[in-house]
Amino acid sequence: GYTGGDGGPCTGCGAGTYKDATGSAACAACPSGSFASAASASACTSCGANTASAEGSTAASSCGCAHGFWGDASAGGRSCTACPTGTYKDSVGAAECSSCPGGIPQSVPGSTALGDCVSSLSFITFSATVQMSQAEFKSEAATFAYISGVAKALEVAEASVSVVSVVEKSTGRRRKLLLTSVVVETRVVVVADQAAIVAARITTDNLNSALSSAGISVDEVP
């Protein structure tokens, strides 16, 4: 949080900047998506998920919902919602999403530009058997981790992935084993000409590779 010449006086980093190491290096501006309201900061405060801010921001009020998301960013991004299918948002802030024009009426959720509007979309649905109880999976953290992992595996935006249903899978064994896995019906929205490419990525190995860091294991993808 301080800078200055070796052996000389040290000066605190100004608001909107930080320094996370010792030495004479200069303070750095807080990157986009963060801010530092106080001087002498050793780290910047994150605006939260789905938000953005100008580089060097000095207050939480500088944070706004990112491109492709709309709402109120004041709650750490929790109120920033992805633009729904058929809309887009090409700015940062609380503005509502714009509708795609009539000739090209479709777009994937979270679209960020008019150029994302297309004439048709494809909806890919698959079921994955996950080693987790229904109660565990339905926790906010587990559901978010699953959606993030699927998006990573399929190389699509998180906003394009949604969980349709979560059903306990019966093993036919003793009762205490009945809740060890669930079948998660998952939907992915993609541009129509990318559907076959994305569908080919839906494999057990691919999903497990992306989900392993979150401690989520997929047994099978029918």
Side-chain angles (χ1 to χ4, degrees), residues 108 120-124 156 160 188-196 198:
V108 299
S120 62
L121 298 174
S122 288
F123 296 82
I124 302 171
V156 299
S160 294
V188 185
V189 185
V190 297
V191 177
D193 61 6
Q194 294 293 310
V198 173

Side-chain angles (χ1 to χ4, degrees), residues 152-170:
K152 180 180 178 181
L154 305 189
E155 300 180 30
V156 299
E158 291 179 4
S160 294
V161 181
S162 61
V163 172
V164 178
S165 65
V166 182
V167 180
E168 295 172 359
K169 183 178 181 181
S170 174

Side-chain angles (χ1 to χ4, degrees), residues 110-158:
S111 289
T112 61
L114 174 60
D116 293 333
C117 296
V118 295
S119 58
S120 62
L121 298 174
S122 288
F123 296 82
I124 302 171
T125 302
F126 66 93
S127 296
T129 301
V130 178
Q131 293 180 0
M132 190 176 291
S133 72
Q134 187 176 50
E136 290 171 330
F137 186 88
K138 286 190 172 181
S139 71
E140 183 177 353
T143 301
F144 178 76
Y146 175 80
I147 289 174
S148 297
V150 170
K152 180 180 178 181
L154 305 189
E155 300 180 30
V156 299
E158 291 179 4

Side-chain angles (χ1 to χ4, degrees), residues 5 23-24 41 46 52 102 104 114 133 141 162 174 178 205 211 216:
S24 59
S46 173
I104 43 175
L114 174 60
S133 72
S162 61
R174 291 186 301 176
L178 292 178
D205 288 344
L211 291 164
I216 298 176

Side-chain angles (χ1 to χ4, degrees), residues 177-211:
L177 298 178
L178 292 178
L179 305 182
T180 56
S181 63
V182 290
V183 178
V184 183
E185 185 178 3
T186 310
R187 179 173 296 158
V188 185
V189 185
V190 297
V191 177
D193 61 6
Q194 294 293 310
I197 296 173
V198 173
R201 297 176 183 143
I202 304 173
T203 67
T204 302
D205 288 344
N206 203 22
L207 291 171
N208 277 323
S209 178
L211 291 164

